[in-house]
Amino acid sequence: MDNLYEILAARFPRDPDASCMILADGRVWTYGDVRRASSRIAGLIAALGLKAGDRVAAQVEKTPESMVLYLATLRAGMVFLPLNPAYQRHELEYFLNDAKPGLFVCRPQLRPLANELTQQAGVPHLLEIDDNGKGSLIDAAAPFGDDFATVQRHSGDLAAILYTSGTTGRSKGAMLTHGNLAVNARTLHAFWHFQPGDMLLHMLPTFHVHGLFVAIHCVLLNGSAMLFEAKFDAKRARQLLPQATVFMGVPTYYVRLLGEPGFDHDSCRHIRLFVSGSAPLLRETFDAFIERTGHTILERYGMTEGGMFTSNPYVGERRGGTVGFPLPGTEVRIVDDDGKVCKTGVIGNIQVRGDNVFVGYWQMPEKTAEEFTADGWFKTGDVGRRDGHGYIAIVGRSKDLIISGGLNVYPKEIEDMIDALPGVAESAVIGLSHADFGESVNAVVVRQKNAAGAILTQAGVIAALKGELANFKIPKRVFVVDDLPRNAMGKVQKNVLRERYS
Ligand code: MLC
Ligand code: AMP
C-alpha cells in the first residue's frame, strides 16, 4: 500500500488510547481519535463526489481537526493544498483559480469572500472549520463511519500541492507525491533517531513543509505524542519545553527563546534534539544557544520542492554556519554557471536529486523544465559551498527571495502591487537584516514625475497593500525616492539599495 496515510498508520501505537496530540487546554487527541476523525472526514469528502486526484484546499487555523483534515484527504485519495490563513483576497483568488479545488475549507469569518471567490473560480464545495475546530465540515462529517477504507494510491500519485512564490510574481504549486513525502519522512525519522517516548513540542504553522511534513510525519511514524500548540510563543515554549524531548523551529524561534528571561539549561532538561531550518541560523544564535542551554542546535536545509535535503549529523559534530551533509537518499552537488561541479570550497549553485524531489509545478510544464537539468537535477536557486570535511554551507541565493521569520516573500509580487498604485513610477523590494525575523521586507518606491495630487508616503503604501496581501509580505519600511540605481544593462542594483538602507 503506497498511500502515505497507510504508511504512517502502520506505525500508530497498538493502543488506540495512546496520546497523539496534547492541546494547550489539556485535551488529548488519541491515535484512536485520529483514526476515527480522519475516517469520517474522508467519508464526507468521498461522498461529496470528489474523485481521486482532486484538490482539497484548506485555509484554516492550526487545530487537531485541520491536521486530521490533511490525513483524511490522503485517505480519500485527494490532494491536500494548505494555505496560510494570512493570505488575503489577491492571493486567494489566484490559488483558487489556479488549483481549481473540488473542496475549499475556510474559516467562518472568511465566508463572504470565500463565497464570492469559489463561485468565480468554479469551486463546487465550500465548508468551514473554525479556530476551535468546529464548523460545517465537522458537522457534515459526523454521520460518516469510523471504518473508511483508505483509497489505494501509488507512490507516484499526488498527495499534496504547496504553493511557493515565484520569481516572476506568479506562485507555483509544487506537486509532491505519496512517495516523495514517505521517503523523506522515513529518512528523517531514522536520521534524527526518533525513539519511543519522544515528545515533540510542535509550535510551527501547519501550512508549510516544516510544520506539516517534517514535524508531524516524524511524530506519526514514531507513534509518539506531541504538544500541539496553535502558534509559537517564546514564553509558552519556555514553560512547555521541560515536558518535551524534541523541538523544531525557524531561526526566529531560537532568537526569541534566547530573549526570554529564565530560559536556560533547566528549561531544556529533557530535550535531546533542537532542529533549526527554513532560513539561515546566525552563527551568534548557534553559539549563544550552546552557552545558554548546553545544546547544539542541529541545522538542516530543505525546500518545499522536496522536503529536507541536508542535515547536520545527529551523532558527530554539528557545525554552526553549515547545514551538514546530504541526507541518505538525496544527492547534492554544487556547480558553476556552466554546470561543472565546483572544487571543494568553491561557491556555486546547489542542485539536488532524489526520490524526495517533487515531480513538477502544477500546470507549469515549461517552468518545471527550466528548473531541472537535462540529467534530472533540481536547481534550488540557493548558492553554497562544501568544505574539506563535506559540510555544506548556504552562502546566498541566486533567486530574488526574502525569507522573513521563515516565510518566503518574492519581491516581484510586492513590486507588481506597488507599481499599480497611483503616483508610483516603479519600485524595488529588498530584504534588510532584521534582529527578530532575520530579514525584513522593505520597499524603495519611485514617485511619478508630475503625478498630480498623488502623495506617496510609507503609511499610504502600507495601507494600500493591507487587505490585498498577507501581513508578513507588507513592507516594514517604505522609502520614497526619485530614481533607482541601475547598472550599465539597466538592471536595478538591489545590492546598492541594500547597502544604502541597511
Ligand atoms: C507575522 N508577521 C510577520 C511574520 N509573521 N512579518 C514578517 N515576517 C513574519 N514571518 C507580521 C504579523 O502579521 C504582525 O503584523 C507583525 O508581523 C508582528 O507579528 P508577530 O506577533 O511578531 O508575529 P508572530 O505571530 O509572532 O509570528 C512570527 C513567527 C511566525 C516568526 C512566529 O511568522 C512563524 O511561525 N514563522 C514560521 C514560518 C514557517 O513555518 N516557515 C517554514 C516554511 S517551510 P501586524 O501588521 O499585525 O503588526 C520551508 C522549508 C524548510 O521554508 O526548509 O523548512
Ligand atoms: P520554501 O520555498 O519555503 O520551502 O523555502 C526554501 C528555501 O528556504 C530554500 O531554498 C533556502 O533558500 C531556505 N532555507 C531553508 N533552510 C535553510 C537553512 N538551513 N539555511 C539557509 N536557508 C535555508
Side-chain angles (χ1 to χ4, degrees):
M1 184 67 154
D2 292 335
N3 188 310
L4 175 64
Y5 173 79
E6 286 295 320
I7 292 168
L8 298 170
R11 307 282 282 272
F12 287 2
R14 284 232 174 85
D15 177 6
D17 294 329
S19 302
C20 178
M21 289 177 271
I22 300 167
L23 310 185
D25 61 10
R27 279 183 302 142
V28 175
W29 273 62
T30 65
Y31 273 91
D33 293 332
V34 168
R35 274 186 199 273
R36 286 186 290 273
S38 62
S39 169
R40 291 194 288 266
I41 299 175
L44 167 69
I45 297 174
L48 290 176
L50 270 66
K51 297 182 301 300
D54 281 351
R55 277 75 55 213
V56 172
Q59 193 193 25
V60 287
E61 277 302 333
K62 177 183 176 186
T63 58
E65 290 79 3
S66 59
M67 196 287 264
V68 165
L69 171 64
Y70 161 56
L71 298 179
T73 304
L74 296 176
R75 293 190 72 170
M78 316 300 169
V79 179
F80 192 60
L81 197 170
L83 295 167
N84 186 338
Y87 289 148
Q88 303 289 319
R89 168 187 284 274
H90 175 77
E91 293 138 325
L92 260 187
E93 192 172 6
Y94 174 76
F95 294 130
L96 294 180
N97 276 291
D98 193 57
K100 295 260 181 288
L103 165 65
F104 178 43
V105 185
C106 72
R107 302 160 76 204
Q109 52 272 54
L110 197 88
R111 187 75 193 211
L113 179 64
N115 274 336
E116 181 193 328
L117 297 181
T118 47
Q119 268 174 30
Q120 207 182 76
V123 177
H125 298 285
L126 175 61
L127 289 168
E128 294 167 0
I129 298 183
D130 72 18
D131 301 354
N132 298 311
K134 303 201 171 5
S136 57
L137 180 132
I138 305 301
D139 296 342
F144 287 87
D146 292 346
D147 52 355
F148 183 86
T150 297
V151 171
Q152 169 79 50
R153 295 271 77 192
H154 297 293
S155 65
D157 290 327
L158 290 194
I161 296 180
L162 270 75
Y163 275 86
T164 77
S165 314
T167 36
T168 57
R170 274 190 73 198
S171 285
K172 303 166 290 182
M175 299 189 287
L176 294 154
T177 64
H178 286 262
N180 291 151
L181 298 177
V183 75
N184 210 233
R186 287 192 175 115
T187 300
L188 297 176
H189 178 263
F191 197 80
W192 292 340
H193 289 224
F194 270 82
Q195 48 202 251
D198 262 336
M199 175 72 80
L200 176 96
L201 173 54
H202 193 304
M203 295 189 127
L204 286 156
T206 45
F207 44 78
H208 281 308
V209 170
H210 198 162
L212 184 62
F213 300 147
V214 178
I216 290 177
H217 290 169
C218 280
V219 170
L220 297 185
L221 270 185
N222 202 46
S224 56
M226 53 189 155
L227 299 161
F228 200 68
E229 293 283 302
K231 61 181 292 226
F232 177 77
D233 175 85
K235 196 179 171 138
R236 179 94 184 128
R238 181 177 65 77
Q239 289 163 354
L240 289 176
L241 275 171
Q243 297 172 50
T245 62
V246 183
F247 181 75
M248 295 183 189
V250 301
T252 299
Y253 294 9
Y254 292 102
V255 170
R256 290 188 183 181
L257 274 173
L258 286 169
E260 187 55 32
F263 174 68
D264 59 13
H265 238 273
D266 196 45
S267 322
C268 316
R269 55 189 176 273
H270 298 307
I271 293 280
R272 64 167 186 85
L273 180 61
F274 280 106
V275 178
S276 175
S278 310
L281 181 72
L282 289 183
R283 193 57 207 250
E284 66 194 62
T285 312
F286 177 86
D287 291 338
F289 208 83
I290 296 176
E291 186 152 327
R292 180 82 74 84
T293 67
H295 282 275
T296 309
I297 298 172
L298 177 153
E299 186 170 5
R300 85 328 176 255
Y301 157 66
M303 235 177 137
T304 302
E305 284 91 336
M308 299 301 102
F309 301 147
T310 76
S311 172
N312 266 282
Y314 184 78
V315 182
E317 188 196 349
R318 298 175 194 161
R319 241 177 230 187
T322 84
V323 294
F325 310 102
L327 279 159
T330 306
E331 295 172 88
V332 179
R333 69 177 189 186
I334 298 175
V335 297
D336 64 19
D337 289 343
D338 298 325
K340 262 187 41 215
V341 174
C342 297
K343 290 212 174 83
T344 301
V346 174
I347 293 173
N349 304 305
I350 301 178
Q351 300 185 343
V352 297
R353 196 163 68 170
D355 290 342
N356 51 323
V357 176
F358 76 133
V359 292
Y361 295 113
W362 174 252
Q363 290 181 332
M364 288 187 178
E366 280 149 28
K367 190 80 207 154
T368 303
E370 269 171 37
E371 303 294 333
F372 281 88
T373 64
D375 49 350
W377 292 83
F378 172 63
K379 305 172 191 167
T380 63
D382 293 306
V383 172
R385 75 162 100 75
R386 206 189 292 250
D387 72 15
H389 295 98
Y391 286 85
I392 294 168
I394 315 282
V395 300
R397 301 169 203 135
S398 59
K399 53 195 173 191
D400 191 12
L401 165 70
I402 301 167
I403 306 184
S404 171
L407 293 172
N408 291 8
V409 182
Y410 272 90
K412 183 76 170 69
E413 183 186 9
I414 327 289
E415 288 161 3
D416 285 349
M417 302 281 295
I418 296 178
D419 292 353
L421 298 177
V424 174
E426 61 173 339
S427 62
V429 167
I430 51 170
L432 295 178
S433 86
H434 190 280
D436 182 33
F437 291 131
E439 278 182 292
S440 65
V441 177
N442 303 271
V444 186
V445 179
V446 180
R447 59 172 81 83
Q448 240 168 35
K449 302 209 169 44
N450 314 318
I455 300 169
L456 278 181
T457 59
Q458 167 163 298
V461 172
I462 289 176
L465 298 180
K466 282 207 169 180
E468 291 293 324
L469 288 176
N471 253 352
F472 69 90
K473 297 182 192 168
I474 308 281
K476 302 280 184 219
R477 284 188 300 164
V478 177
F479 307 96
V480 180
V481 298
D482 287 321
D483 45 39
L484 296 174
R486 289 180 188 277
N487 65 14
M489 313 285 287
K491 200 167 176 268
V492 175
Q493 291 170 302
K494 288 200 170 176
N495 53 337
V496 173
L497 290 174
R498 277 191 288 268
E499 263 171 46
R500 189 174 296 165
Y501 295 107
S502 66

